[in-house]
Amino acid sequence: MMGRVNPLRVLFAILFLGIAGSLILPWQIELQHLDRSAHFRSATLDLGLRERVGQAAFIAALSGFRAPVAALLWISAHAAWEKTEWGKMDALFESVTTLQPRVLLYWDIAAWHMAWNARASALQDLTQPSEVLRERSAGHYVALGRNFLERGIKNNPDQYLLYESLGRLAGTRESDHGAAADAYAKAASLTNAPAYLKRLAAYESSLTPGREREAYERLLSLYHEGAQQRVPTLVTRLHEFEQKLGIPKDQWVNDSVSSYPFYPLKAPK
Amino acid sequence: MSRRFSSSSRIFAIAGNTFTDLVRQRVFLFLLIFSLMVIGCSALLAKFSFQEEFQMLKDVALGAMSLFLSFFAILASAMLLPRDLEDRTIFTILSKPVPRHEYLMGKLLGVLTMLLLSTLIMGGLFLTVLVLREQSVLLETRNSVVGSQQELASALAEVRKSAFNWNLIPAMAILFAKASLIASLTLMISTFATSGIFAILTSVSAYFIGHLQETAREYWLGGVTVHWWSRLFSALLALVFPDLQAFNLSDDIVAGKGLPLDVFWQTIALGGVYTILYYLVACFLFQKREL
């Protein structure tokens, strides 16, 4: 057994640590602001999360193990998917995205599971004889998917991926081509966005009633960007609008791609 | 006979002995658990998409590194003084012209060397598994993508983006800085602790308090209307304990966030300052301690 330290020394040590701590404190606060401005340490660990993930996982998350806890919950969500337990999956996705709000993958896949897989499952749910109620349930899952994407965007406003997914969801799941065009256009304006997003924005505009002129201008502008953007779908669509809007023939683009009739002008149902 | 205030050869001799002692206690066996965890995790996650697999592999591996390093820093540092007292080696050392601060510095450096080596081994193992899996996925992608060269290049770039990125290296350096701080804090606690168990339990408590320091600080400075003693208690926690949340940047780094250089250096410097501060307090407490 060790001997004792003079209690007065311990008191002096605490006092010294307090004084040193007060000198370091402004630095720690500044570092915290610096971290937050660089989008670090942005997760909010509140009592709502504690109720969802349980005491042990919450303590682990508080102790600096947010990422491993999120990974384990993600594996649980995958197991729930294999059993098509959509409600459980939704709750687990909520916890995962709360723990790791900067991981785009979690928001994106959570939204995809809800708006695509859970929706399809709801539409084919034979235990629900009413088609109206099946449709309603499917719509509910699509809304959950949208909600994940919107919150993901709020947490990661500088990333194109979730805007792209939102565009896909609006266009294919909600048939809201105007919203899809806006989402793709926003995605295309962000850093590192792939070139095809501009085309997707133009295609979705072309499917939106009342936005034909805007769609034509977008398509034409892309066409003039060069060979990289002159894919068959774009050229086909451009020709369709030249005819539809009565553009003088001398202003038509000089490109023929009639052998590539994909991506029809008619909006998919 | 006069002797110098401090001698690096004496410090390195004690550090070397501490390091050898820790190696002899087979502390590296915990690396075996880490290896099994990372390799097992990699095999288990193969059924997920490659993005999910790499994301979770990084999450689990860096989380496990953080856990093992913190665990090791506490256990190794807390048992240093009690074991030397039990073996009576401390009397042999301190009866020679070895000042107590040199003895503590040697002990701390021994533990830090062990922590550094553990970080390098775990980091190396993790990166090896990650790169091997990346190569395997790249090969699968090359064999499975049917399309233009541009499409293939885009798919391969997507795989590369999801796997290794250079920010993982500073993430590991920050984990080492955190473990060093914890080792120094535990050494300080062990200088006034009455037993090894007490030092371990107090250090574990300090570890948790350190992670809540940010909350205590905001409670103290946030202008919340509370009893004066509650505010005083929060202030005490905020001033005496380090903000360990400042070292938990790997959670966001694995999300693909680039680590700004000033954030990295300031975090490392904060770890260094606290390590030195706790070492100085440990020297102060140990200087006049009855053995």
Side-chain angles (χ1 to χ4, degrees), chain A residues 8-98:
Chain A
L8 206 60
R9 274 196 168 248
V10 177
L11 205 66
F12 269 125
I14 293 172
L15 196 67
F16 175 71
L17 279 176
I19 293 166
S22 65
L23 295 174
I24 298 173
L25 193 70
W27 181 18
Q28 289 191 73
I29 294 170
E30 192 199 320
L31 186 57
Q32 183 191 9
H33 292 316
L34 205 61
D35 287 344
R36 294 250 163 98
S37 64
H39 300 293
F40 283 91
R41 298 165 74 181
S42 55
T44 312
L45 306 179
D46 55 16
L47 289 176
L49 178 74
R50 191 218 151 287
E51 279 173 22
R52 288 200 301 272
V53 300
Q55 184 84 352
F58 186 67
I59 289 173
L62 271 179
S63 312
F65 300 105
R66 271 195 299 122
V69 171
L72 292 176
L73 292 174
W74 190 256
I75 293 171
S76 304
H78 188 86
W81 177 41
E82 289 173 339
K83 295 178 198 160
T84 62
E85 294 172 341
W86 306 112
K88 189 178 174 184
M89 276 175 80
D90 179 39
L92 286 166
F93 288 149
E94 281 290 336
S95 304
V96 171
T97 49
T98 307

Side-chain angles (χ1 to χ4, degrees), chain A residues 131-153:
Chain A
E131 193 179 344
V132 175
L133 290 180
R134 284 203 300 269
E135 289 278 358
R136 191 178 162 203
S137 178
H140 168 71
Y141 284 121
V142 172
L144 281 178
R146 166 176 274 278
N147 189 259
F148 273 115
L149 289 176
E150 285 172 346
R151 282 184 294 140
I153 286 170

Side-chain angles (χ1 to χ4, degrees), chain A residues 2-3 9 32 36 74, chain B residues 52 85 214 217 243 284 289:
Chain A
M2 293 169 84
R9 274 196 168 248
Q32 183 191 9
R36 294 250 163 98
W74 190 256
Chain B
E52 288 174 284
L85 273 164
E214 183 186 338
R217 199 175 65 219
D243 178 6
F284 175 73
R289 177 172 183 163

Side-chain angles (χ1 to χ4, degrees), chain A residues 1-6 8-10 12-14 16-25 27-32 34-36 38-43 45 59 61-68 70-72 74-75 78 82 100-106 109 113 158-160 228, chain B residues 45 47-48 51-52 55-56 59-60 63 66-67 81 85 161 178 188 190-194 207-208 211-214 217-218 220-221 238-240 242-243 245-246 248-249 251-255 257-260 262-263 266-267 269-270 273-274 277-278 281 284-285 287-290:
Chain A
M1 172 141 170
M2 293 169 84
R4 290 197 171 182
V5 176
N6 184 345
L8 206 60
R9 274 196 168 248
V10 177
F12 269 125
I14 293 172
F16 175 71
L17 279 176
I19 293 166
S22 65
L23 295 174
I24 298 173
L25 193 70
W27 181 18
Q28 289 191 73
I29 294 170
E30 192 199 320
L31 186 57
Q32 183 191 9
L34 205 61
D35 287 344
R36 294 250 163 98
H39 300 293
F40 283 91
R41 298 165 74 181
S42 55
L45 306 179
I59 289 173
L62 271 179
S63 312
F65 300 105
R66 271 195 299 122
L72 292 176
W74 190 256
I75 293 171
H78 188 86
E82 289 173 339
Q100 282 289 66
R102 296 290 294 176
V103 180
L104 301 179
L105 180 79
Y106 289 152
I109 294 187
H113 273 306
D158 52 346
Q159 302 290 323
Y160 73 85
Q228 192 200 351
Chain B
L45 298 174
K47 68 175 183 174
F48 289 90
Q51 289 104 327
E52 288 174 284
Q55 177 69 48
M56 285 190 278
D59 283 347
V60 172
S66 174
L67 180 71
L81 298 185
L85 273 164
K161 198 175 90 179
K178 181 182 175 184
M188 183 196 78
S190 75
T191 55
F192 64 85
T194 47
Y207 178 84
F208 284 112
H211 280 96
L212 292 170
Q213 193 260 22
E214 183 186 338
R217 199 175 65 219
E218 285 173 358
W220 169 38
L221 300 172
L239 292 175
V240 171
D243 178 6
Q245 291 288 2
N248 292 337
L249 304 182
D251 291 343
D252 293 304
I253 290 172
V254 293
K257 280 296 302 163
L259 184 66
D262 55 342
V263 171
Q266 286 207 39
T267 309
L270 184 70
V273 165
Y274 265 112
L277 180 66
Y278 289 132
V281 176
F284 175 73
L285 290 171
Q287 201 60 38
K288 298 281 178 189
R289 177 172 183 163
E290 293 170 24

